[in-house]
Amino acid sequence: CGGSVSDSSGMLQSPNYPGSYPNDADCVWEIQVENNFRVTLTFRDIAMQSGTCQHDYIEVYDGPLHSSPLLGRFCSGSFPTYVSSSNMMSVRFHSDSRYSFRGFQAHYSSIPAGHNTTIQCLPDYMHVVVSRRYLQSQGYSAERVTLNDNGCRPTVTSQEVVFNIPYSGCGTIQEENNDTINYSNTIRVASSGYIIKRKKNINLHVSCKMLRKSWQQVMYAAEDTVDVNEYQFGRYNMNITFYDSPAFLRQVRASPYYIDLNQNLYLQACLHSSDPSLKVFVDTCVASPDPRDFNTLAYYLVRNGCPRDSSYATYYSPSSHFARFKFNAFEFMSRHPSVYLKCQMLVCRLGDYSSHCYRGCSSRAKRDTSPAEEEVDVVVGPLRLREGDAPSGSTG
């Protein structure tokens, strides 16, 4: 299931629809339509395990899966419609190992972005077209459209002003952020009149954002000296996995993970990044019977890098992208059979000994996070006691 979709319109549906979808499915569709179009996605049928949407769910992302904002996560209710901000959208369908239902069906189509300026991210340059009709409607002349670098001139036709802006010239700025490379430039439209000026200058900030092997277009217009940032940087991609022993050789893939009271649990947090100069640190881990509420009934295993539970311990890791730790299993109460963990991880620069990743336990009231640090929250669970375990030994 899943895959890349490039038609201008089509249908998405869960495996076997309208029959029951399989257990342990994890499908990702990447919808990519033409440049300067957007994706509109409308759900027509949803029949899944409702409730907290922790077990079976649908997620819609505004671009590539791991690098884009989450537009919505749901498993029941009304039939939503989503519109992307670029020419790409991702849809993820996940099911666990328990109940199965009919699933979902959705229809997508492409709609014009409606810009007066269009941008194409080609392999070696940005191809940007500004409509002369738009310039004239705003009272501007095509002859006053320039880049920061005046040596890079556009081609002016009867209808358009066309720029071919190289990624490595004409004042293009390159920025790297994790596995994202952004190329940006500014097209300036100056108003006429040097003494009396009645209109603001127009700044068209154009950028091509390369996400691994995908290209995505981003463009916005800013007035005069207003600085607007519409770069959609994704959070670091992090997951936490249970292992069956302190050797960290075999992952526990069952969900829920059924355990015995007082059993040692071994976990590994993994940062998925191509940047080798990053380090992961377990800052805070809190347990709760409710995956949506880690405040009402909460038990801290570690907080601000300081162990709060006597059974909590860390292990040596062979890579700075891994953080390994363990604790002893407990239950909250008999009426709360499941336990969820929410862990806040810190990602720091390798060798930055002033960061919390190296300073460890800190009783800070207010975090003084350095610019090279980022916080990532990960929820894992549920943990459930095996049948037959007595609740008398519970702690927390």
Side-chain angles (χ1 to χ4, degrees):
C1 60
S4 297
V5 181
S6 57
D7 294 334
S8 60
S9 63
M11 195 81 68
L12 302 183
Q13 58 191 30
S14 51
N16 302 330
Y17 181 89
S20 296
Y21 52 76
N23 292 328
D24 298 317
D26 201 36
C27 314
V28 177
W29 291 268
E30 284 193 340
I31 307 170
Q32 186 165 2
V33 296
E34 287 184 56
N35 285 324
N36 305 301
F37 280 74
R38 297 184 183 187
V39 183
T40 177
L41 177 73
T42 301
F43 285 83
R44 296 178 170 179
D45 185 23
I46 304 171
M48 301 168 62
Q49 183 178 357
S50 60
T52 63
C53 298
Q54 290 291 321
H55 306 288
D56 299 354
Y57 53 83
I58 302 165
E59 291 176 331
V60 180
Y61 289 87
D62 191 14
L65 179 69
H66 296 299
S67 314
S68 305
L70 178 67
L71 296 177
R73 176 179 173 143
F74 53 93
C75 56
S76 61
S78 58
F79 300 158
T81 295
Y82 297 98
V83 180
S84 66
S85 62
S86 70
N87 64 328
M88 192 170 184
M89 177 186 284
S90 295
V91 180
R92 181 187 181 199
F93 168 73
H94 176 82
S95 66
D96 67 3
S97 59
R98 303 193 79 183
Y99 307 110
S100 185
F101 297 85
R102 186 170 69 245
F104 78 91
Q105 186 180 68
H107 178 265
Y108 80 89
S109 59
S110 57
I111 56 174
H115 291 310
N116 296 300
T117 303
T118 60
I119 175 173
Q120 284 183 284
C121 299
L122 300 175
D124 299 313
Y125 59 90
M126 289 183 271
H127 180 71
V128 183
V129 178
V130 183
S131 163
R132 289 193 67 175
R133 180 180 296 176
Y134 163 68
L135 293 173
Q136 291 164 0
S137 70
Q138 300 297 311
Y140 295 94
S141 165
E143 283 68 35
R144 303 189 69 83
V145 182
T146 63
L147 286 176
N148 282 338
D149 185 344
N150 288 324
C152 297
R153 306 297 301 172
T155 300
V156 180
T157 70
S158 60
Q159 296 183 332
E160 300 170 336
V161 179
V162 181
F163 285 93
N164 289 324
I165 308 172
Y167 295 132
S168 57
C170 292
T172 299
I173 297 172
Q174 177 178 329
E175 294 179 316
E176 295 189 28
N177 187 343
N178 245 13
D179 54 353
T180 304
I181 303 176
N182 301 311
Y183 303 93
S184 59
N185 210 314
T186 303
I187 297 174
R188 303 190 183 280
V189 188
S191 65
S192 59
Y194 295 98
I195 300 174
I196 298 176
K197 183 177 175 182
R198 301 188 184 277
K199 296 194 299 292
K200 291 183 177 181
N201 299 330
I202 294 179
N203 293 336
L204 295 172
H205 298 271
V206 292
S207 74
C208 281
K209 176 190 285 188
M210 190 177 78
L211 301 165
R212 295 179 182 171
K213 295 182 180 178
S214 300
W215 291 87
Q216 181 184 9
Q217 288 77 244
V218 180
M219 181 189 62
Y220 62 89
E223 289 186 332
D224 207 10
T225 57
V226 178
D227 290 320
V228 181
N229 292 313
E230 283 198 2
Y231 300 119
Q232 299 174 349
F233 295 118
R235 286 280 188 175
Y236 288 111
N237 182 17
M238 182 96 65
N239 71 331
I240 295 180
T241 309
F242 288 101
Y243 281 77
D244 64 356
S245 77
F248 292 94
L249 294 176
R250 288 188 301 274
Q251 293 186 16
V252 176
R253 301 187 182 276
S255 179
Y257 180 17
Y258 287 93
I259 56 173
D260 298 315
L261 206 59
N262 297 320
Q263 175 182 335
N264 277 331
L265 303 181
Y266 306 96
L267 299 92
Q268 175 175 275
C270 178
L271 169 67
H272 300 280
S273 171
S274 59
D275 187 348
S277 60
L278 298 178
K279 179 177 174 63
V280 178
F281 176 70
V282 185
D283 182 74
T284 299
C285 270
V286 58
S288 167
D290 185 347
R292 297 162 301 176
D293 181 3
F294 285 89
N295 296 308
T296 306
L297 264 180
Y299 180 78
Y300 282 90
L301 297 167
V302 57
R303 192 170 192 176
N304 296 335
C306 306
R308 292 294 186 89
D309 184 277
S310 59
S311 70
Y312 177 87
T314 59
Y315 288 89
Y316 166 78
S317 172
S319 166
S320 63
H321 283 197
F322 297 154
R324 294 173 170 179
F325 57 101
K326 70 100 175 177
F327 67 94
N328 201 265
F330 56 89
E331 68 162 355
F332 277 85
M333 300 175 188
S334 296
R335 69 172 185 270
H336 296 298
S338 298
V339 176
Y340 293 83
L341 291 181
K342 181 178 181 180
C343 294
Q344 184 178 80
M345 314 299 297
L346 289 185
V347 180
C348 312
R349 283 288 163 190
L350 196 63
D352 180 7
Y353 295 101
S354 65
S355 68
H356 295 301
C357 292
Y358 287 92
R359 286 156 55 187
C361 178
S362 173
S363 57
R364 58 193 180 278
K366 183 178 181 180
R367 181 182 306 283
D368 51 337
T369 305
S370 75
E373 262 174 54
E374 175 140 359
E375 300 173 359
V376 184
D377 288 343
V378 183
V379 177
V380 64
L383 300 168
R384 290 184 182 165
L385 287 177
R386 297 187 198 278
E387 292 184 8
D389 280 327
S392 59
S394 63
T395 61

